[in-house]
mmCIF file of all heavy atoms in Angstrom:
data_model
loop_
_atom_site.group_PDB
_atom_site.id
_atom_site.type_symbol
_atom_site.label_atom_id
_atom_site.label_comp_id
_atom_site.label_asym_id
_atom_site.label_seq_id
_atom_site.Cartn_x
_atom_site.Cartn_y
_atom_site.Cartn_z
ATOM 1 N N ALA T 1 -25.611 -6.795 19.163
ATOM 2 C CA ALA T 1 -26.763 -7.686 19.345
ATOM 3 C C ALA T 1 -26.713 -8.848 18.351
ATOM 4 O O ALA T 1 -27.026 -9.995 18.705
ATOM 5 C CB ALA T 1 -28.061 -6.894 19.171
ATOM 6 N N LEU T 2 -26.317 -8.565 17.127
ATOM 7 C CA LEU T 2 -26.226 -9.611 16.103
ATOM 8 C C LEU T 2 -25.173 -10.648 16.480
ATOM 9 O O LEU T 2 -25.389 -11.858 16.337
ATOM 10 C CB LEU T 2 -25.894 -8.993 14.746
ATOM 11 C CG LEU T 2 -27.000 -8.145 14.106
ATOM 12 C CD1 LEU T 2 -26.442 -7.312 12.966
ATOM 13 C CD2 LEU T 2 -28.134 -9.049 13.605
ATOM 14 N N ILE T 3 -24.033 -10.175 16.953
ATOM 15 C CA ILE T 3 -22.951 -11.090 17.329
ATOM 16 C C ILE T 3 -23.344 -11.911 18.552
ATOM 17 O O ILE T 3 -23.050 -13.111 18.642
ATOM 18 C CB ILE T 3 -21.644 -10.304 17.560
ATOM 19 C CG1 ILE T 3 -21.158 -9.699 16.227
ATOM 20 C CG2 ILE T 3 -20.576 -11.193 18.158
ATOM 21 C CD1 ILE T 3 -19.969 -8.776 16.356
ATOM 22 N N GLU T 4 -24.037 -11.290 19.508
ATOM 23 C CA GLU T 4 -24.500 -12.016 20.693
ATOM 24 C C GLU T 4 -25.473 -13.128 20.312
ATOM 25 O O GLU T 4 -25.553 -14.160 20.982
ATOM 26 C CB GLU T 4 -25.179 -11.054 21.670
ATOM 27 C CG GLU T 4 -24.200 -10.173 22.443
ATOM 28 C CD GLU T 4 -24.911 -9.158 23.331
ATOM 29 O OE1 GLU T 4 -26.154 -9.268 23.453
ATOM 30 O OE2 GLU T 4 -24.238 -8.278 23.891
ATOM 31 N N ASN T 5 -26.188 -12.927 19.218
ATOM 32 C CA ASN T 5 -27.145 -13.933 18.745
ATOM 33 C C ASN T 5 -26.495 -14.981 17.851
ATOM 34 O O ASN T 5 -27.191 -15.778 17.210
ATOM 35 C CB ASN T 5 -28.298 -13.257 17.994
ATOM 36 C CG ASN T 5 -29.241 -12.531 18.936
ATOM 37 O OD1 ASN T 5 -29.419 -12.941 20.079
ATOM 38 N ND2 ASN T 5 -29.843 -11.445 18.461
ATOM 39 N N GLY T 6 -25.164 -14.972 17.792
ATOM 40 C CA GLY T 6 -24.458 -16.041 17.086
ATOM 41 C C GLY T 6 -23.921 -15.704 15.712
ATOM 42 O O GLY T 6 -23.302 -16.554 15.065
ATOM 43 N N LEU T 7 -24.140 -14.474 15.237
ATOM 44 C CA LEU T 7 -23.643 -14.106 13.921
ATOM 45 C C LEU T 7 -22.161 -13.759 14.000
ATOM 46 O O LEU T 7 -21.713 -13.095 14.935
ATOM 47 C CB LEU T 7 -24.427 -12.893 13.384
ATOM 48 C CG LEU T 7 -24.322 -12.607 11.889
ATOM 49 C CD1 LEU T 7 -24.933 -13.741 11.079
ATOM 50 C CD2 LEU T 7 -25.032 -11.295 11.556
ATOM 51 N N LEU T 8 -21.386 -14.208 13.035
ATOM 52 C CA LEU T 8 -19.970 -13.867 12.979
ATOM 53 C C LEU T 8 -19.804 -12.435 12.487
ATOM 54 O O LEU T 8 -20.567 -11.972 11.633
ATOM 55 C CB LEU T 8 -19.228 -14.824 12.045
ATOM 56 C CG LEU T 8 -19.216 -16.303 12.442
ATOM 57 C CD1 LEU T 8 -18.541 -17.129 11.357
ATOM 58 C CD2 LEU T 8 -18.510 -16.492 13.778
ATOM 59 N N SER T 9 -18.798 -11.748 13.002
ATOM 60 C CA SER T 9 -18.593 -10.347 12.605
ATOM 61 C C SER T 9 -18.337 -10.222 11.115
ATOM 62 O O SER T 9 -18.749 -9.235 10.485
ATOM 63 C CB SER T 9 -17.424 -9.741 13.390
ATOM 64 O OG SER T 9 -16.222 -10.456 13.138
ATOM 65 N N GLN T 10 -17.679 -11.214 10.512
ATOM 66 C CA GLN T 10 -17.368 -11.141 9.079
ATOM 67 C C GLN T 10 -18.579 -11.372 8.184
ATOM 68 O O GLN T 10 -18.486 -11.220 6.966
ATOM 69 C CB GLN T 10 -16.262 -12.128 8.709
ATOM 70 C CG GLN T 10 -16.485 -13.567 9.155
ATOM 71 C CD GLN T 10 -15.807 -13.875 10.473
ATOM 72 O OE1 GLN T 10 -15.949 -13.141 11.439
ATOM 73 N NE2 GLN T 10 -15.047 -14.962 10.512
ATOM 74 N N ASP T 11 -19.704 -11.734 8.789
ATOM 75 C CA ASP T 11 -20.948 -11.878 8.021
ATOM 76 C C ASP T 11 -21.776 -10.595 8.031
ATOM 77 O O ASP T 11 -22.925 -10.585 7.583
ATOM 78 C CB ASP T 11 -21.789 -13.027 8.581
ATOM 79 C CG ASP T 11 -21.164 -14.383 8.287
ATOM 80 O OD1 ASP T 11 -20.491 -14.501 7.243
ATOM 81 O OD2 ASP T 11 -21.342 -15.314 9.093
ATOM 82 N N ILE T 12 -21.195 -9.520 8.578
ATOM 83 C CA ILE T 12 -21.860 -8.216 8.658
ATOM 84 C C ILE T 12 -21.059 -7.211 7.827
ATOM 85 O O ILE T 12 -19.836 -7.178 7.901
ATOM 86 C CB ILE T 12 -21.941 -7.716 10.112
ATOM 87 C CG1 ILE T 12 -22.644 -8.755 10.998
ATOM 88 C CG2 ILE T 12 -22.652 -6.368 10.193
ATOM 89 C CD1 ILE T 12 -22.543 -8.454 12.482
ATOM 90 N N CYS T 13 -21.743 -6.410 7.035
ATOM 91 C CA CYS T 13 -21.053 -5.393 6.237
ATOM 92 C C CYS T 13 -21.734 -4.044 6.401
ATOM 93 O O CYS T 13 -22.963 -3.935 6.270
ATOM 94 C CB CYS T 13 -21.043 -5.776 4.760
ATOM 95 S SG CYS T 13 -20.072 -4.649 3.716
ATOM 96 N N LEU T 14 -20.929 -3.022 6.719
ATOM 97 C CA LEU T 14 -21.429 -1.652 6.737
ATOM 98 C C LEU T 14 -21.093 -1.016 5.390
ATOM 99 O O LEU T 14 -19.935 -1.032 4.961
ATOM 100 C CB LEU T 14 -20.795 -0.857 7.874
ATOM 101 C CG LEU T 14 -21.313 0.587 8.022
ATOM 102 C CD1 LEU T 14 -21.374 0.990 9.484
ATOM 103 C CD2 LEU T 14 -20.444 1.591 7.251
ATOM 104 N N VAL T 15 -22.104 -0.458 4.740
ATOM 105 C CA VAL T 15 -21.952 0.100 3.404
ATOM 106 C C VAL T 15 -22.283 1.585 3.433
ATOM 107 O O VAL T 15 -23.291 1.991 4.022
ATOM 108 C CB VAL T 15 -22.888 -0.616 2.398
ATOM 109 C CG1 VAL T 15 -22.744 -0.022 1.008
ATOM 110 C CG2 VAL T 15 -22.600 -2.112 2.375
ATOM 111 N N ALA T 16 -21.441 2.401 2.813
ATOM 112 C CA ALA T 16 -21.702 3.838 2.678
ATOM 113 C C ALA T 16 -21.421 4.267 1.245
ATOM 114 O O ALA T 16 -20.790 3.541 0.472
ATOM 115 C CB ALA T 16 -20.859 4.638 3.663
ATOM 116 N N ARG T 17 -21.864 5.461 0.894
ATOM 117 C CA ARG T 17 -21.805 5.906 -0.505
ATOM 118 C C ARG T 17 -20.394 6.219 -0.967
ATOM 119 O O ARG T 17 -20.032 5.933 -2.118
ATOM 120 C CB ARG T 17 -22.712 7.138 -0.691
ATOM 121 C CG ARG T 17 -22.683 7.747 -2.097
ATOM 122 C CD ARG T 17 -23.206 6.788 -3.137
ATOM 123 N NE ARG T 17 -23.188 7.383 -4.464
ATOM 124 C CZ ARG T 17 -22.135 7.384 -5.281
ATOM 125 N NH1 ARG T 17 -20.991 6.820 -4.885
ATOM 126 N NH2 ARG T 17 -22.206 7.924 -6.482
ATOM 127 N N THR T 18 -19.556 6.805 -0.113
ATOM 128 C CA THR T 18 -18.228 7.249 -0.527
ATOM 129 C C THR T 18 -17.139 6.640 0.353
ATOM 130 O O THR T 18 -17.397 6.206 1.476
ATOM 131 C CB THR T 18 -18.115 8.780 -0.450
ATOM 132 O OG1 THR T 18 -18.197 9.180 0.936
ATOM 133 C CG2 THR T 18 -19.228 9.461 -1.237
ATOM 134 N N ASN T 19 -15.923 6.647 -0.164
ATOM 135 C CA ASN T 19 -14.787 6.171 0.616
ATOM 136 C C ASN T 19 -14.596 6.999 1.884
ATOM 137 O O ASN T 19 -14.249 6.467 2.947
ATOM 138 C CB ASN T 19 -13.510 6.224 -0.232
ATOM 139 C CG ASN T 19 -13.247 4.897 -0.933
ATOM 140 O OD1 ASN T 19 -13.138 3.853 -0.305
ATOM 141 N ND2 ASN T 19 -13.172 4.957 -2.250
ATOM 142 N N HIS T 20 -14.796 8.313 1.755
ATOM 143 C CA HIS T 20 -14.649 9.190 2.920
ATOM 144 C C HIS T 20 -15.604 8.776 4.033
ATOM 145 O O HIS T 20 -15.215 8.692 5.212
ATOM 146 C CB HIS T 20 -14.911 10.646 2.519
ATOM 147 C CG HIS T 20 -14.944 11.595 3.681
ATOM 148 N ND1 HIS T 20 -13.800 12.004 4.348
ATOM 149 C CD2 HIS T 20 -15.994 12.186 4.330
ATOM 150 C CE1 HIS T 20 -14.141 12.813 5.336
ATOM 151 N NE2 HIS T 20 -15.463 12.940 5.348
ATOM 152 N N LEU T 21 -16.865 8.510 3.687
ATOM 153 C CA LEU T 21 -17.834 8.102 4.701
ATOM 154 C C LEU T 21 -17.508 6.724 5.262
ATOM 155 O O LEU T 21 -17.675 6.478 6.464
ATOM 156 C CB LEU T 21 -19.243 8.101 4.106
ATOM 157 C CG LEU T 21 -20.021 9.418 4.182
ATOM 158 C CD1 LEU T 21 -21.353 9.286 3.473
ATOM 159 C CD2 LEU T 21 -20.237 9.845 5.632
ATOM 160 N N VAL T 22 -17.061 5.816 4.406
ATOM 161 C CA VAL T 22 -16.671 4.485 4.883
ATOM 162 C C VAL T 22 -15.585 4.613 5.945
ATOM 163 O O VAL T 22 -15.646 3.991 7.017
ATOM 164 C CB VAL T 22 -16.191 3.605 3.711
ATOM 165 C CG1 VAL T 22 -15.509 2.339 4.237
ATOM 166 C CG2 VAL T 22 -17.359 3.216 2.819
ATOM 167 N N ASP T 23 -14.586 5.438 5.670
ATOM 168 C CA ASP T 23 -13.499 5.630 6.634
ATOM 169 C C ASP T 23 -13.994 6.294 7.922
ATOM 170 O O ASP T 23 -13.547 5.948 9.024
ATOM 171 C CB ASP T 23 -12.388 6.475 6.006
ATOM 172 C CG ASP T 23 -11.677 5.753 4.872
ATOM 173 O OD1 ASP T 23 -11.744 4.506 4.835
ATOM 174 O OD2 ASP T 23 -11.078 6.433 4.014
ATOM 175 N N GLU T 24 -14.926 7.236 7.782
ATOM 176 C CA GLU T 24 -15.457 7.927 8.957
ATOM 177 C C GLU T 24 -16.216 6.953 9.860
ATOM 178 O O GLU T 24 -16.026 6.944 11.083
ATOM 179 C CB GLU T 24 -16.371 9.063 8.511
ATOM 180 C CG GLU T 24 -17.031 9.829 9.644
ATOM 181 C CD GLU T 24 -16.049 10.600 10.513
ATOM 182 O OE1 GLU T 24 -14.913 10.883 10.037
ATOM 183 O OE2 GLU T 24 -16.392 10.907 11.668
ATOM 184 N N TYR T 25 -17.076 6.117 9.256
ATOM 185 C CA TYR T 25 -17.810 5.142 10.073
ATOM 186 C C TYR T 25 -16.865 4.110 10.671
ATOM 187 O O TYR T 25 -17.044 3.677 11.812
ATOM 188 C CB TYR T 25 -18.896 4.462 9.237
ATOM 189 C CG TYR T 25 -20.104 5.333 9.018
ATOM 190 C CD1 TYR T 25 -20.347 5.910 7.773
ATOM 191 C CD2 TYR T 25 -20.996 5.588 10.056
ATOM 192 C CE1 TYR T 25 -21.442 6.727 7.567
ATOM 193 C CE2 TYR T 25 -22.103 6.398 9.859
ATOM 194 C CZ TYR T 25 -22.319 6.968 8.618
ATOM 195 O OH TYR T 25 -23.406 7.779 8.420
ATOM 196 N N GLY T 26 -15.847 3.720 9.910
ATOM 197 C CA GLY T 26 -14.868 2.777 10.432
ATOM 198 C C GLY T 26 -14.165 3.328 11.657
ATOM 199 O O GLY T 26 -13.979 2.620 12.660
ATOM 200 N N SER T 27 -13.789 4.604 11.600
ATOM 201 C CA SER T 27 -13.135 5.254 12.734
ATOM 202 C C SER T 27 -14.071 5.319 13.933
ATOM 203 O O SER T 27 -13.669 5.037 15.073
ATOM 204 C CB SER T 27 -12.677 6.656 12.331
ATOM 205 O OG SER T 27 -12.126 7.355 13.423
ATOM 206 N N GLN T 28 -15.328 5.691 13.674
ATOM 207 C CA GLN T 28 -16.306 5.781 14.767
ATOM 208 C C GLN T 28 -16.502 4.419 15.435
ATOM 209 O O GLN T 28 -16.533 4.317 16.673
ATOM 210 C CB GLN T 28 -17.645 6.273 14.217
ATOM 211 C CG GLN T 28 -17.645 7.708 13.726
ATOM 212 C CD GLN T 28 -18.016 8.697 14.825
ATOM 213 O OE1 GLN T 28 -18.491 8.315 15.880
ATOM 214 N NE2 GLN T 28 -17.772 9.976 14.569
ATOM 215 N N LEU T 29 -16.627 3.359 14.640
ATOM 216 C CA LEU T 29 -16.866 2.033 15.206
ATOM 217 C C LEU T 29 -15.654 1.519 15.965
ATOM 218 O O LEU T 29 -15.796 0.875 17.021
ATOM 219 C CB LEU T 29 -17.249 1.049 14.085
ATOM 220 C CG LEU T 29 -18.627 1.266 13.454
ATOM 221 C CD1 LEU T 29 -18.865 0.266 12.334
ATOM 222 C CD2 LEU T 29 -19.738 1.156 14.497
ATOM 223 N N GLN T 30 -14.473 1.790 15.439
ATOM 224 C CA GLN T 30 -13.264 1.353 16.145
ATOM 225 C C GLN T 30 -13.137 2.050 17.499
ATOM 226 O O GLN T 30 -12.739 1.428 18.491
ATOM 227 C CB GLN T 30 -12.039 1.611 15.273
ATOM 228 C CG GLN T 30 -11.930 0.630 14.109
ATOM 229 C CD GLN T 30 -10.783 0.946 13.169
ATOM 230 O OE1 GLN T 30 -10.166 2.005 13.272
ATOM 231 N NE2 GLN T 30 -10.498 0.040 12.253
ATOM 232 N N GLN T 31 -13.489 3.332 17.558
ATOM 233 C CA GLN T 31 -13.468 4.056 18.829
ATOM 234 C C GLN T 31 -14.484 3.484 19.813
ATOM 235 O O GLN T 31 -14.301 3.571 21.033
ATOM 236 C CB GLN T 31 -13.755 5.539 18.597
ATOM 237 C CG GLN T 31 -12.644 6.285 17.862
ATOM 238 C CD GLN T 31 -13.023 7.720 17.554
ATOM 239 O OE1 GLN T 31 -13.836 8.320 18.246
ATOM 240 N NE2 GLN T 31 -12.437 8.268 16.505
ATOM 241 N N LEU T 32 -15.544 2.883 19.263
ATOM 242 C CA LEU T 32 -16.584 2.294 20.107
ATOM 243 C C LEU T 32 -16.313 0.816 20.392
ATOM 244 O O LEU T 32 -17.161 0.118 20.959
ATOM 245 C CB LEU T 32 -17.950 2.449 19.428
ATOM 246 C CG LEU T 32 -18.464 3.891 19.298
ATOM 247 C CD1 LEU T 32 -19.686 3.947 18.396
ATOM 248 C CD2 LEU T 32 -18.786 4.468 20.681
ATOM 249 N N GLY T 33 -15.140 0.329 19.959
ATOM 250 C CA GLY T 33 -14.744 -1.034 20.298
ATOM 251 C C GLY T 33 -15.151 -2.112 19.326
ATOM 252 O O GLY T 33 -15.083 -3.301 19.646
ATOM 253 N N ILE T 34 -15.566 -1.730 18.115
ATOM 254 C CA ILE T 34 -15.972 -2.713 17.108
ATOM 255 C C ILE T 34 -14.813 -2.942 16.136
ATOM 256 O O ILE T 34 -14.315 -1.999 15.508
ATOM 257 C CB ILE T 34 -17.209 -2.246 16.327
ATOM 258 C CG1 ILE T 34 -18.403 -2.065 17.265
ATOM 259 C CG2 ILE T 34 -17.548 -3.224 15.205
ATOM 260 C CD1 ILE T 34 -18.930 -3.332 17.879
#
């Protein structure tokens, strides 16, 4: 929704507490096409 409204993907950051969680969310988003 943010990108559709004109925001660039590089202006968005997903933040998590640990490296393990960062990698887990990254994997989930990539599987969902992000």
Side-chain angles (χ1 to χ4, degrees):
L2 291 166
I3 293 173
E4 285 176 8
N5 287 329
L7 197 65
L8 297 175
S9 60
Q10 52 265 49
D11 289 329
I12 304 170
C13 185
L14 183 144
V15 179
R17 177 63 179 86
T18 67
N19 267 303
H20 173 75
L21 272 176
V22 168
D23 293 339
E24 178 66 21
Y25 283 107
S27 176
Q28 292 270 347
L29 290 178
Q30 286 175 350
Q31 291 175 26
L32 293 170
I34 299 293

